[in-house]
Amino acid sequence: MKELVIIGAGGFARETAAAVDAVGEYRLLGHLDDNPALHGTGVDGVPVLGGSELVHELSDAHVVVCVGNPRDYAARARLVRRLGLPVERYATVIHPTAAVPEATSEVGPGSVLLAHCVLTTAVRVGAHVAVMPHVVLTHDDVVEDYATLASGVRLGGAVRLEQGAYAGAGALVREGTTVGAWSLVGMGSAVLGDVPPGEVWAGSPARRLRAADQPALDELATPTVGGPLT
């Protein structure tokens, strides 16, 4: 059985650990977290082995990076860039209750799809994407690298979430629209038109509230390695 470590020990990381157990494909060695207070402890019965740099010593283990929250949803991208691991080190974790049509859809390395997600057909999910429970991605959706879809998000057909975009819990996005890179759509919002990059939108219908927080704007200004999905 292949070995796996999860970078992060917060809520998303713990949920991913539960998904790994349900999949049964990997032997989970433990969490790596940069909070020294957690080292040598455990979360939900899984040990916290040390900091994230320990991943370089555990060279035979596959990796998923499970950090980030609405206050800093760019954290995952920064950590992946800092670690500099080859793409083949990254696992893709898909909960067995998720519906992913292998013939028409694809999910990139380092991405996590939690329980009861649905990809209908011709959906493309990039690398290091976090898809929380009960998300529905419909035909021809494109979700670029580092995007986050919180629980219950629904995307209409041919929606594009650009790199690092964050869709809050229960958000609805109208068919054919784009949520720009490193923008955040608030929970429960109804997005009826395109959201420009680097902004925060919320409401029903969603409207611009302000510019995104600085970590997201910093990522927006960082050149993309390899380019977004086309």
Side-chain angles (χ1 to χ4, degrees):
M1 183 177 287
K2 295 178 287 188
E3 295 178 336
L4 178 75
V5 291
I6 296 173
I7 297 183
F12 176 35
R14 293 164 55 206
E15 292 170 330
T16 300
V20 169
D21 183 64
V23 170
E25 181 181 352
Y26 294 98
R27 182 169 73 89
L28 181 57
L29 299 180
H31 296 276
L32 304 180
D33 195 280
D34 289 331
N35 180 359
L38 295 176
H39 298 172
T41 69
V43 289
D44 298 340
V46 179
V48 180
L49 304 173
S52 60
E53 293 297 330
L54 188 59
V55 74
H56 298 294
E57 298 180 32
L58 300 170
S59 57
D60 292 332
H62 289 76
V63 181
V64 282
V65 178
C66 299
V67 300
N69 57 62
R71 295 175 297 281
D72 184 7
Y73 51 96
R76 196 158 60 251
R78 292 198 308 273
L79 188 49
V80 168
R81 187 167 58 245
R82 175 165 65 83
L83 293 175
L85 298 175
V87 68
E88 57 268 20
R89 287 287 306 273
Y90 285 106
T92 301
V93 176
I94 300 175
H95 194 280
T97 63
V100 181
E102 294 183 3
T104 64
S105 298
E106 61 186 71
V107 180
S111 291
V112 177
L113 276 62
L114 294 180
H116 304 293
C117 298
V118 175
L119 281 59
T120 61
T121 189
V123 175
R124 289 182 293 159
V125 175
H128 307 291
V129 172
V131 184
M132 302 304 178
H134 294 281
V135 168
V136 177
L137 308 179
T138 56
H139 67 88
D140 303 301
D141 287 340
V142 176
V143 179
E144 294 185 10
D145 300 349
Y146 305 112
T148 301
L149 297 95
S151 58
V153 168
R154 303 288 192 268
L155 304 187
V159 165
R160 190 178 195 100
L161 261 62
E162 293 186 339
Q163 185 177 39
Y166 187 106
L172 307 174
V173 183
R174 186 176 186 173
E175 67 274 5
T177 59
T178 296
V179 177
W182 301 104
S183 282
L184 181 148
V185 173
M187 60 188 301
S189 297
V191 179
L192 304 182
D194 292 347
V195 175
E199 296 187 356
V200 175
W201 285 45
S204 183
R207 294 180 172 85
R208 185 186 190 276
L209 297 183
R210 56 179 174 82
D213 292 334
Q214 197 59 49
L217 296 178
D218 289 344
E219 286 300 321
L220 186 60
T222 300
T224 302
V225 177
L229 292 174
T230 57

